[in-house]
Amino acid sequence: MQIRARWGFLKGVKSTVRLKKAYFSTESIERAGPVMPLQFVYSCQDFVTDVCRRSVNRPALAPPPTKFDTTIRVSWTDRMDRGLFRYHLGDLETRVLPGPCGYVAQLNIQRGIERRKPQEILSIQQEFNASQFNFNKINPEEVIFEMIKNTDGGTALPDEEELPRPCRMVVLINVSPLEFGHCLFVPDPSRCFPQILTRSAVQVGIESVLLSSDPGFRVGFNSLGAFASVNHLHLHGYYLEHELMIESMPVKPVVSEKGFYRMQGFPAGFLFYTESDEVEKVARTICQVTDFLVDDNIAHNLFLTRGCPPCGCIQSKKDLCLRNGVRIAIWPRTACFGAKEESAFNVALCELAGHLPFKNKKDYDCTTERDVISTVQRYLLADDEFDRVEQQLSTHLLAS
């Protein structure tokens, strides 16, 4: 069993975060209470391009947190201390299940009890419904900041210059957190996008991972029919310090010129990889894939994490520890509309990636790797259906 105290790093944290027309010290979050919303302005120069996993032969020190990390961590903790979440999230009981998959199991009973009841979803292409819960109805104090990219790449913006609207992303706490730092990335909430990925949402999701120096910062997406609980476009982000197999899982090329791979481990899925210089190109190709899945009414989950390069770029075992770029996994899966939830865990973005938040102590203690595989398998496409989707996607990408 592995338990960690995650709050210690906040002691004495002092950082200056660049905001539009101002500089803001994170010390004031602790002293002054809510001063949000703020605008967190970043550029490609802020991406962290030298990250690696610690190993027996490479006991690297943890890199210092970036401004992005510090802002999320301090702001998230402030809101936990002020009682803005549905429950207090302390250190979660954690264990790694025996077996080659390396599943990371965590006991999070309160999330299963306290989280908001998911909306009724009837279609992967369901339209936004303003009468249902959406992120325009939240407590404003749940907002951490507005995340906006300075596409000029400069260090300052003239007072009269407006930041580009398409890059605006609101970051807010998830009031029913899976793990420490669990937040939601909502592209311009007032535009009321349904839960269908856009290229800019994918791009900012990748860039968020690159803005963090922590290889444990993850971003994910559930489509409608794939356990998305709110039909208002959003991605999840959170910290999980344990290494996941997906970070270095072997892959084989499907369409090499598009960087489109098939993962060779369980569960079957597709993978893209990018470092900081090709984010826009890869985000565009990922959206070609997800748009195809939506048009074909195929539910899907995405998971974005620091990971090693694809097999053709790995020259030595040392390269398996590299986390300079981002792996983006895409799992087409069977759709669930009004389906009964699993008693132990639901099969959504984090579970497919190997992170299992359990709802009850009995299942947490007793579930084996074989049990997990059996549960996950029920939500995957049959082998022949997966092969059909792979062939259609290959044709689609080559024609674009």
Side-chain angles (χ1 to χ4, degrees):
M1 183 181 298
Q2 303 173 39
I3 307 291
R4 70 183 161 101
R6 64 169 68 85
W7 310 101
F9 71 87
L10 287 172
K11 295 178 180 178
V13 167
K14 295 181 181 179
S15 177
T16 300
V17 179
R18 180 172 166 262
L19 305 167
K20 183 183 179 184
K21 303 181 184 177
Y23 283 84
F24 177 81
S25 169
T26 56
E27 286 184 285
S28 65
I29 296 176
E30 299 169 300
R31 291 198 311 265
V35 290
M36 307 298 184
L38 299 168
Q39 290 185 322
F40 182 94
V41 182
Y42 69 98
S43 72
C44 295
Q45 297 173 354
D46 296 309
F47 296 156
V48 183
T49 58
D50 184 16
V51 179
C52 67
R53 272 285 180 195
R54 287 180 256 183
S55 68
V56 175
N57 299 321
R58 191 173 185 153
L61 294 175
T66 62
K67 293 180 288 186
F68 176 81
D69 290 317
T70 300
T71 306
I72 287 182
R73 290 169 172 174
V74 175
S75 302
W76 193 92
T77 303
D78 164 70
R79 284 152 180 76
M80 179 64 71
D81 292 342
R82 291 198 278 124
L84 294 178
F85 291 80
R86 287 178 172 245
Y87 50 87
H88 179 82
L89 186 78
D91 292 316
L92 296 174
E93 191 173 339
T94 304
R95 72 185 183 101
V96 178
L97 303 189
C101 292
Y103 286 116
V104 177
Q106 290 188 314
L107 183 61
N108 191 343
I109 297 174
Q110 288 301 108
R111 177 172 166 81
I113 297 172
E114 302 290 347
R115 68 183 296 228
R116 182 182 292 109
K117 182 180 178 181
Q119 294 173 3
E120 182 180 15
I121 304 299
L122 302 175
S123 166
I124 293 164
Q125 302 179 38
Q126 190 163 313
E127 295 183 359
F128 177 87
N129 184 343
S131 67
Q132 293 186 318
F133 171 80
N134 61 74
F135 300 114
N136 294 310
K137 299 182 179 183
I138 65 166
N139 179 346
E141 294 189 5
E142 295 172 18
V143 176
I144 295 176
F145 53 71
E146 292 183 0
M147 183 176 171
I148 305 176
K149 186 176 183 181
N150 174 12
T151 53
D152 293 334
T155 57
L157 291 172
D159 283 353
E160 70 275 9
E161 182 176 340
E162 287 299 318
L163 293 163
R165 181 180 175 88
C167 296
R168 178 174 177 257
M169 178 77 77
V170 174
V171 182
L172 53 127
I173 60 171
N174 187 325
V175 295
S176 302
L178 282 167
E179 242 288 15
F180 177 75
H182 191 178
C183 53
L184 301 176
F185 293 80
V186 184
D188 205 344
S190 64
R191 299 181 71 179
C192 302
F193 296 118
Q195 185 68 349
I196 296 174
L197 278 172
T198 62
R199 190 176 75 184
S200 61
V202 174
Q203 181 174 329
V204 177
I206 297 172
E207 290 174 343
S208 298
V209 177
L210 290 171
L211 286 168
S212 173
S213 61
D214 190 334
F217 183 70
R218 331 287 183 155
V219 171
F221 171 84
N222 298 320
S223 81
L224 300 179
F227 283 104
S229 59
V230 177
N231 187 17
H232 190 180
L233 182 56
H234 65 285
L235 292 84
H236 295 260
Y238 68 98
Y239 292 90
L240 177 73
E241 74 172 25
H242 296 271
E243 184 172 1
L244 298 173
M245 292 297 293
I246 194 175
E247 297 175 30
S248 56
M249 182 181 289
V251 299
K252 68 173 183 179
V254 179
V255 183
S256 298
E257 54 267 50
K258 294 289 186 175
F260 183 52
Y261 298 86
R262 176 173 177 163
M263 291 183 284
Q264 294 188 279
F266 180 85
F270 304 116
L271 188 122
F272 289 89
Y273 174 84
T274 184
E275 296 190 1
S276 59
D277 55 343
E278 292 198 323
V279 174
E280 292 185 28
K281 175 183 175 183
V282 172
R284 185 181 305 112
T285 308
I286 289 169
C287 260
Q288 289 178 316
V289 171
T290 56
D291 285 349
F292 177 91
L293 296 175
V294 170
D295 290 343
D296 209 23
N297 287 303
I298 299 174
H300 48 282
N301 305 93
L302 273 72
F303 194 82
L304 293 71
T305 182
R306 292 271 183 178
C308 69
C311 49
C313 304
I314 297 175
Q315 305 298 323
S316 67
K317 289 185 177 180
K318 182 178 70 173
D319 291 341
L320 290 172
C321 294
L322 293 178
R323 297 294 183 267
N324 298 338
V326 181
R327 284 185 162 211
I328 304 97
I330 305 174
W331 292 280
R333 40 89 59 79
T334 60
C336 304
F337 298 123
K340 181 179 179 181
E341 295 190 357
E342 297 286 341
S343 63
F345 58 85
N346 294 329
V347 179
L349 66 93
C350 59
E351 291 82 3
L352 289 168
H355 172 211
L356 310 172
F358 278 85
K359 304 176 186 178
N360 65 80
K361 177 70 169 170
K362 180 180 178 181
D363 285 319
Y364 170 80
D365 287 336
C366 299
T367 297
T368 66
E369 179 177 278
R370 185 175 180 179
D371 297 329
V372 174
I373 291 174
S374 177
T375 299
V376 172
Q377 188 69 56
R378 294 198 292 269
Y379 294 86
L380 301 179
L381 298 179
D383 290 346
D384 59 344
E385 179 68 6
F386 184 89
D387 291 341
R388 180 189 70 82
V389 171
E390 179 183 302
Q391 182 58 51
Q392 290 179 331
L393 283 171
S394 299
T395 302
H396 179 65
L397 292 177
L398 287 170
S400 61

